[in-house]
Amino acid sequence: MRTLHKLPTELAVNANPSPKHPHQLSFRRVRSRTFVLALALLVMFAVYVLLGSYTVTIPDFFTIVINHLTGGEKIPGASFIVMEHKLPRAAVGTLIGVAFGLAGALFQTMLRNPLASPDIIGISYGASAAAVTAIVIFGASGAVVSAAALGGALGVAAIIYAISRSAGNGGGNRGNAAGNRLILAGVGIAAALHAVVNFLMTRADIRTAADALVWLNGSLNSANWERAGILAAALLVLIPAAMFLSGPLRMLELGDDAAAGLGIRVNATRLGLVVTAVALSAVATAAAGPVAFVAFLAGPISRRFVRKLSLPASALTGALIVLAADFFASNIAPLILDGTVLPVGVISGALGAPFLLWLLVTSNRKEA
């Protein structure tokens, strides 16, 4: 009878299966935590639609939606509030949060700077200046203001990109220089556009100035199904573009020279990322105004939660921030402020400053 003998090393290998590769563990962690963010967004969406100043039960909600789609009997009052106010507002809030979250993550990762969000580098100010010009000088409203904001954001982005490119023709270190030039050009133009907006506000009458201020603070008051449809159509094009560029974006994180060595066309990729991020920021700003700090907050928060760059996580975080901020502004702030309803941008802006300080403090501790 033959006896099989195994070496101790073989027994040890068989008793302890080889650990998973670190990249596999990291991918699973990112995927599971992104799934948690998706669940949190779903819960927040349900809370936003069902609760608040007017509550709707879950059975009534499904009855209202089914009857609306099939032409059935409407529930007086409730059907209008759900289908014409709460649902379109939640849909627009989710979509602009996704757009701002993706735009901020693309800028911050491409430029390797957590401050490089559309709020900081002037894209939102371009939209604001164009929209306020349309409101104050031409008396525009509605879709015309949104179109002006879209054009202003795209125009300012083109100017910033052209300035940063022309200033870099002198050679030298091209690693972070292009990103730094773009940020500095954006900050300078943002300051100039801020002065333009302030000047136009001083020239407007009190009613026009009030309308412009509501738009400048970022508000979902004008949300409707038409606006949600336009946003959804834009995101159907821009989200796949962002996902397509996510691979080259990871290469750019290593630096321009390393990315070029890996076969990435650095200038073409950077131009594609800028166009995509600006378009995301522009369509979101055109829909609801410059909702402050959402693009700035979404990227760092999602990166700390999933421990890695994740564009889906950034998009979900942006949507979660917008819905939570608008729910607080519409339903909780009036209880505290004697009935005053705040624009969503006031709440997101109030969150931005302490988060920026927390980000700086925790970054300094890591570097110490």
Side-chain angles (χ1 to χ4, degrees), residues 144-164:
V144 177
V145 176
S146 299
L150 183 64
L154 295 175
V156 167
I159 293 171
I160 293 171
Y161 188 78
I163 291 174
S164 65

Side-chain angles (χ1 to χ4, degrees), residues 16 20 63 69 78 83 106 114 162-163 189 194 235 245 255 276 281 294 296 316 320 324 339 349 365 367:
N16 299 298
K20 298 289 184 184
T63 301
L69 296 176
M83 297 307 304
L106 288 176
I163 291 174
I189 289 179
H194 184 65
L235 293 186
L245 292 168
T276 304
S281 176
V294 175
F296 169 71
L316 293 169
L320 196 56
R365 283 177 182 172
E367 292 172 359

Side-chain angles (χ1 to χ4, degrees), residues 299-357:
I301 290 176
S302 65
R303 188 185 283 261
R304 290 187 177 236
F305 184 70
V306 303
R307 306 290 179 82
K308 194 176 181 182
L309 166 67
S310 171
L311 294 182
S314 299
L316 293 169
T317 304
L320 196 56
I321 291 171
V322 173
L323 285 187
D326 194 53
F327 183 81
F328 184 91
S330 302
N331 301 289
I332 299 176
L335 302 177
I336 303 171
L337 302 174
D338 196 23
T340 302
V341 178
L342 298 175
V344 59
V346 173
I347 303 299
S348 62
L351 292 173
F355 181 81
L356 176 61
L357 294 175

Side-chain angles (χ1 to χ4, degrees), residues 13-362:
V13 168
N14 292 332
N16 299 298
S18 58
K20 298 289 184 184
H21 193 278
H23 291 299
Q24 290 178 321
L25 293 175
S26 175
F27 176 74
R28 288 187 177 183
R29 182 179 58 197
V30 171
R31 188 173 57 180
S32 62
R33 295 193 178 192
T34 303
F35 181 70
V36 171
L37 282 175
L39 280 180
L41 177 60
L42 185 62
V43 171
M44 189 63 236
F45 193 94
V47 167
Y48 190 98
V49 174
L50 299 177
L51 302 180
S53 57
Y54 188 91
T55 58
V56 181
T57 63
I58 294 176
D60 283 348
F61 171 76
F62 284 108
T63 301
I64 290 169
V65 173
I66 292 172
N67 287 350
H68 181 82
L69 296 176
T70 60
E73 185 179 357
K74 295 182 179 180
I75 300 176
S79 294
F80 178 82
I81 290 174
V82 171
M83 297 307 304
E84 303 301 329
H85 177 66
K86 285 198 166 190
L87 264 183
R89 191 178 177 113
V92 170
T94 302
L95 293 173
I96 68 166
V98 166
F100 277 131
L102 275 177
L106 288 176
F107 271 121
Q108 290 163 347
T109 307
M110 176 183 67
L111 302 177
R112 297 194 290 278
N113 191 324
L115 295 177
S117 74
D119 315 70
I120 308 297
I121 64 173
I123 308 299
S124 298
Y125 277 108
S128 300
V132 172
T133 301
I135 294 172
V136 174
I137 297 180
F138 300 103
S141 62
V144 177
V145 176
S146 299
L150 183 64
L154 295 175
V156 167
I159 293 171
I160 293 171
Y161 188 78
I163 291 174
S164 65
R165 292 278 299 165
S166 62
N169 290 334
N173 182 14
R174 298 195 302 170
N176 290 329
N180 292 337
R181 286 194 300 270
L182 194 148
I183 293 172
L184 290 174
V187 169
I189 289 179
L193 292 175
H194 184 65
V196 171
V197 170
N198 287 339
F199 171 75
L200 289 173
M201 294 297 286
T202 63
R203 308 296 297 175
D205 62 73
I206 186 68
R207 185 172 298 176
T208 305
D211 293 340
L213 272 177
V214 170
W215 192 90
L216 284 172
N217 281 319
S219 172
L220 296 178
N221 288 343
S222 59
N224 53 41
W225 287 119
E226 182 185 1
R227 195 154 295 190
I230 294 172
L231 267 172
L235 293 186
L236 281 176
V237 176
L238 295 173
I239 289 178
M243 293 303 147
F244 176 76
L245 292 168
S246 62
L249 179 63
R250 294 179 190 281
M251 303 297 180
L252 281 180
E253 278 192 288
L254 304 174
D256 288 3
D257 294 336
L262 292 170
I264 300 298
R265 297 173 60 188
V266 173
N267 289 332
T269 302
R270 181 174 284 116
L271 178 61
L273 287 165
V274 168
V275 170
T276 304
V278 167
L280 284 165
S281 176
V283 296
T285 305
V291 185
F293 283 119
V294 175
F296 169 71
L297 293 170
I301 290 176
S302 65
R303 188 185 283 261
R304 290 187 177 236
F305 184 70
V306 303
R307 306 290 179 82
K308 194 176 181 182
L309 166 67
S310 171
L311 294 182
S314 299
L316 293 169
T317 304
L320 196 56
I321 291 171
V322 173
L323 285 187
D326 194 53
F327 183 81
F328 184 91
S330 302
N331 301 289
I332 299 176
L335 302 177
I336 303 171
L337 302 174
D338 196 23
T340 302
V341 178
L342 298 175
V344 59
V346 173
I347 303 299
S348 62
L351 292 173
F355 181 81
L356 176 61
L357 294 175
W358 175 78
L359 189 66
L360 291 173
V361 169
T362 53

